[in-house]
Amino acid sequence: MAIVFERMTRMRFRCRITGVGPPLFRQAFPMSSMLPDCHHNKIICLIPASTKRCLSTVSTSTSSIEKDDNFVRVRFAPSPTGNLHVGGARTALFNYLFARSKGGKFLLRIEDTDLERSTRESEEAVLKDLSWLGLHWDEGPDIGGNYGPYRQSERNALYKQYAEKLLNSGHVYRCFCSNEELEKMKEIAKLKQLPPVYTGKWASASDEEVQEEIRKGTPFTYRFRVPKEGSLKINDLIRGEVSWNLDTLGDFVVMRSNGQPVYNFCVTVDDATMAISHVIRAEEHLPNTLRQALIYKALGFQMPYFAHVSLILAPDKSKLSKRHGATSVGQFKEMGYLPNAMVNYLALLGWGDGTENEFYTLEQLVDKFTIERVNKHGAVFDSTKFRWMNGQYLKLLAPQELAKLLGHHWKRTGILMESEGLFVEEAVELLKDKVDLISDSENALTNFLSYPLFETLSSSEAKPVLGDSLSEFANSLLAAYDSGELFDALNQGKPGWQNWVKSFGKSVKRKGKSLFMPLRVLLTGKLHGPDIGASVVLLHTLGSGDIVASEIGFVTLEERIKLLKEVEWKSFNNNQTVLEPAIISQ
């Protein structure tokens, strides 16, 4: 066993007792009178074996642990009953940022007491999503720590120990009321327009009455004895002073008749025995604080600081739910959102540093985050802004990294046969401005590879182009291709194209839009798109299109020229319906 004094400031140390279970932190105190002329950051004092016996009782009673106001321990405690909701992810983020900004610890605890709905698969998915976001924890079910176990389902013995302590101290009592009796109490309270609270039937039962029911095998719960008068007040770090009248609560259950603890009891015991200093959670847990505070006091635990974060709202100001679209981290990940964009956006839902800046790395958030700047009002989840922000992050990626992401997506979705190479790199560079999500790149590439010439020519939007002597322009283009001058120019890349198009424009006496619009329609089959020069050069680079999946129906540049030779221009000019020729087989 040892006592470790760790320097906090020049003249203040923190005392930590080790070797008797989880480290115990005592209140920080001045050391000048005890350790004069000390220049070390850490002092270790070994404790003799005889003294260990005297101190051993300290480690078994968490109620003797005093909260160290200078050492932060926070937790994120999800229930593994589904996917990680963005609201939960933001709560985890705020806990992470608070811990890191204070040099404290970020714990992950799994609240799996709902045995029917909790699954290990869901737990693994939550851990995977948190890791994807970069919110790495210091203690948890997968890496352990000094305060484990970190799953509530593995802590039942601890809950029963503290439930018995409450029973022995008189803070809880056995309640033998049946479900029918409890329902009748609720009905009577409703008729009298009173809160549906327990009437306290078994609160004053004699030992003989209790023992008689136990002998009969009557199931019972443990109910917490709530004071009938007075109020309870906390100073929430986000919401300020919050108070409750105790007469609205009624005696509540802490242990069910099947021996399973209820949520509020588990959470209180867990937070206290894990030395949690700050509880940062969603505002929907605010009503639970009253019950938990009473349990803290009854067990002799010092309460943590509470901070209740506002809910994330949908555009209609209702609570964000599945009916509003994607709501889980996993869904957004599959849609092509980047983890750093998601962290950035979630941080701005209810927090800001007071500046106009909207872009922060995780490290910058740690540096700037304060709980005082978390807003107590609900924040609206704006999917349009989130998409835009993700697009900005995509554009900031290094070209190689972006090409790797999009190339992998194109191969995974069956557009390309290969995920890397010159075509992928140049296609990414050409199409990236139209991509806000990785999944957007799928439509961007398939649209680029398509050649809807006849559909375009039949559209009303193409009439001005057709009326500008498009058929004569097409003949000039075909002549340039047949002569080999266009092919030779494309072999020289974009500089070759630029020289050729300048010469070609002079030959047909066109420039600007009157030159480039018909070139776009004839060579890409579309009226709009990325830079025409870069597009045509890339189509030429693709050649026979061997890396494009056959089901995409890619039409090579050579095949496009052949199709142009089959167009009946008079039919288009006369507004007649023209059947598109069959695609030339590759």
Side-chain angles (χ1 to χ4, degrees):
M1 179 188 296
I3 296 180
V4 180
F5 296 102
E6 295 177 337
R7 184 184 295 277
M8 297 166 55
T9 65
R10 189 175 67 86
M11 296 303 294
R12 292 179 68 81
F13 282 72
R14 178 173 62 227
C15 172
R16 182 162 57 92
I17 303 174
T18 65
V20 288
L24 305 180
F25 290 93
R26 307 298 297 182
Q27 185 68 32
F29 52 89
M31 295 293 297
S32 56
S33 60
M34 298 178 63
L35 299 171
D37 302 322
C38 175
H39 301 288
H40 299 285
N41 289 330
K42 182 184 290 186
I43 301 170
I44 301 176
C45 302
L46 299 178
I47 307 300
S50 60
T51 311
K52 290 184 184 180
R53 289 191 295 272
C54 300
L55 293 176
S56 61
T57 56
V58 177
S59 65
T60 61
S61 177
T62 312
S63 61
S64 66
I65 301 176
E66 295 179 17
K67 181 176 62 180
D68 180 356
D69 293 338
N70 297 284
F71 192 76
V72 168
R73 285 175 62 83
V74 299
R75 61 22 174 217
F76 176 58
S79 298
T81 55
N83 298 320
L84 179 61
H85 189 273
V86 292
R90 186 191 59 169
T91 299
L93 174 62
F94 283 3
N95 274 279
Y96 176 90
L97 295 177
F98 184 75
R100 294 291 180 261
S101 67
K102 300 292 185 180
K105 299 293 184 182
F106 173 56
L107 283 67
L108 179 62
R109 185 176 73 224
I110 302 300
E111 297 187 343
D112 57 350
T113 51
D114 187 344
L115 301 178
E116 293 184 0
R117 298 176 58 219
S118 298
T119 66
R120 193 55 63 89
E121 292 76 17
S122 179
E123 176 186 320
E124 292 172 355
V126 169
L127 268 63
K128 187 176 181 181
D129 286 343
L130 290 173
S131 295
W132 180 72
L133 290 171
L135 307 182
H136 303 296
W137 47 96
D138 302 298
E139 302 171 29
D142 57 334
I143 59 176
N146 292 330
Y147 294 81
Y150 292 88
R151 294 187 185 91
Q152 285 186 338
S153 59
E154 299 171 2
R155 298 171 64 86
N156 279 333
L158 189 66
Y159 305 138
K160 291 177 181 177
Q161 171 190 336
Y162 282 104
E164 290 301 319
K165 181 177 179 180
L166 289 175
L167 181 65
N168 294 333
S169 65
H171 286 96
V172 303
Y173 58 88
R174 294 182 178 92
C175 172
F176 296 91
C177 288
S178 63
N179 290 334
E180 291 75 15
E181 288 178 287
L182 296 173
E183 286 300 319
K184 188 173 182 179
M185 290 179 194
K186 291 180 182 178
E187 291 174 5
I188 294 174
K190 186 176 181 180
L191 289 173
K192 294 182 177 180
Q193 296 183 334
L194 296 173
V197 298
Y198 180 66
T199 59
K201 175 181 178 180
W202 285 93
S204 57
S206 66
D207 288 342
E208 290 77 13
E209 291 174 309
V210 170
Q211 291 304 318
E212 176 62 23
E213 295 298 325
I214 291 176
R215 279 193 294 271
K216 291 192 298 185
T218 307
F220 61 86
T221 60
Y222 280 9
R223 282 189 180 272
F224 190 92
R225 200 184 302 273
V226 178
K228 302 307 177 187
E229 297 179 349
S231 62
L232 186 141
K233 179 175 65 177
I234 67 166
N235 184 30
D236 191 280
L237 296 179
I238 294 174
R239 301 178 178 278
E241 184 178 298
V242 182
S243 62
W244 300 266
N245 290 325
L246 296 178
D247 59 5
T248 63
L249 183 57
D251 296 351
F252 57 90
V253 174
V254 295
M255 293 285 285
R256 299 183 180 90
S257 58
N258 62 2
Q260 290 297 312
V262 300
Y263 169 79
N264 282 305
F265 184 60
C266 294
V267 168
T268 305
V269 171
D270 288 342
D271 285 342
T273 56
M274 291 182 173
I276 300 301
S277 64
H278 296 72
V279 174
I280 304 172
R281 59 189 180 186
E283 68 173 318
E284 58 193 356
H285 289 288
L286 186 58
N288 294 326
T289 309
L290 173 56
R291 291 175 172 83
Q292 293 166 16
L294 292 171
I295 297 172
Y296 272 108
K297 183 177 180 180
L299 288 173
F301 293 136
Q302 187 171 349
M303 277 204 301
Y305 297 104
F306 289 99
H308 289 89
V309 183
S310 63
L311 297 177
I312 295 180
L313 306 177
D316 61 2
K317 300 301 176 68
S318 64
K319 182 180 177 181
L320 186 68
S321 63
K322 292 180 180 178
R323 66 187 177 89
H324 297 109
T327 58
S328 73
V329 172
Q331 286 176 302
F332 285 111
K333 179 181 177 182
E334 285 298 313
M335 290 167 62
Y337 284 86
L338 299 177
N340 47 355
M342 187 161 207
V343 164
N344 191 157
Y345 185 70
L346 289 178
L348 297 180
L349 292 178
W351 173 86
D353 66 355
T355 70
E356 297 294 320
N357 187 30
E358 290 187 303
F359 292 92
Y360 303 89
T361 64
L362 186 57
E363 293 75 18
Q364 290 170 333
L365 287 170
V366 168
D367 182 59
K368 293 182 176 295
F369 184 84
T370 61
I371 201 72
E372 291 79 13
R373 293 204 63 85
V374 175
N375 200 313
K376 66 181 180 180
H377 302 295
V380 175
F381 191 94
D382 185 340
S383 57
T384 301
K385 183 172 182 178
F386 185 23
R387 167 185 273 271
W388 168 81
M389 179 171 281
N390 194 78
Q392 301 307 303
Y393 271 92
L394 274 176
K395 293 172 180 62
L396 290 173
L397 291 176
Q400 301 88 339
E401 188 176 357
L402 183 59
K404 183 178 180 180
L405 278 174
L406 301 193
H408 174 76
H409 183 76
W410 287 337
K411 183 178 180 181
R412 186 171 64 85
T413 52
I415 302 175
L416 299 182
M417 306 299 291
E418 300 175 7
S419 62
E420 56 186 22
L422 180 62
F423 172 76
V424 170
E425 294 173 3
E426 294 186 355
V428 168
E429 183 62 27
L430 180 65
L431 303 174
K432 66 180 182 181
D433 288 341
K434 296 296 183 181
V435 176
D436 285 333
L437 304 177
I438 294 173
S439 54
D440 290 348
S441 66
E442 186 177 345
N443 287 333
L445 183 60
T446 53
N447 182 62
F448 171 77
L449 295 172
S450 68
Y451 187 59
L453 175 67
F454 294 92
E455 179 183 341
T456 298
L457 293 177
S458 300
S459 69
S460 59
E461 193 178 358
K463 287 182 179 180
V465 184
L466 282 166
D468 191 20
S469 304
L470 184 61
S471 58
E472 289 84 353
F473 188 95
N475 289 333
S476 300
L477 177 63
L478 292 172
Y481 186 86
D482 290 339
S483 69
E485 67 178 65
L486 177 56
F487 186 84
D488 292 340
L490 292 176
N491 281 337
Q492 300 172 40
K494 197 165 184 180
W497 161 268
Q498 290 172 338
N499 291 331
W500 174 82
V501 80
K502 184 177 181 180
S503 174
F504 181 72
K506 290 180 179 179
S507 68
V508 295
K509 298 180 180 179
R510 291 179 180 236
K511 62 181 179 179
K513 185 177 181 179
S514 67
L515 171 63
F516 290 105
M517 179 59 80
L519 281 174
R520 180 181 297 280
V521 169
L522 297 173
L523 294 176
T524 72
K526 294 176 278 287
L527 289 162
H528 311 284
D531 180 77
I532 178 61
S535 298
V536 176
V537 170
L538 186 56
L539 289 169
H540 177 71
T541 301
L542 191 53
S544 61
D546 292 339
I547 72 167
V548 181
S550 57
E551 45 278 22
I552 298 301
F554 171 62
V555 182
T556 68
L557 193 58
E558 182 179 355
E559 291 165 349
R560 296 179 188 200
I561 295 297
K562 291 180 181 179
L563 286 173
L564 284 175
K565 293 179 179 180
E566 300 177 13
V567 175
E568 297 180 10
W569 296 105
K570 290 183 180 180
S571 300
F572 284 107
N573 291 330
N574 294 329
N575 293 321
Q576 296 178 7
T577 302
V578 179
L579 297 177
E580 181 174 345
I583 299 297
I584 300 173
S585 63
Q586 297 184 35

